Amino acid sequence: MASTIQVRVDDDLKIRSDALFKDLGTDTTSAIRMFLTQALAVNGFPFEIKRANANPYRALTEQEVLDKLERSREHAAQGMYKNATEVSHDLRTKYGL
């Protein structure tokens, strides 16, 4: 037996979501089903939940970029780095790829 879930969303959100999922080769109903399936598989939200002000993708200032580059150079000089094989292995382990 199948159950029905009804959700009210803003018209714009529905239109944009429908277009996105169509472009990805699926529909919104299937995407919601995938979300629920993944939530059960990982026993929680299938993505990371963060506060809005904790955006890791915000634009960096030029000085922040230069500071990060300098720290990277210092770490590399101290042997504190991972090669691509290690990073790939870590990602595959963490995300079950």
Side-chain angles (χ1 to χ4, degrees), residues 81-94 97:
Y81 61 88
K82 292 183 179 182
N83 65 37
T85 303
E86 290 175 292
V87 172
S88 177
H89 176 267
D90 290 349
L91 288 172
R92 290 178 192 284
T93 301
K94 182 175 181 178
L97 302 173

Side-chain angles (χ1 to χ4, degrees), residues 3 5 13 19 46 66 87:
S3 295
I5 297 175
L13 176 61
L66 294 173
V87 172

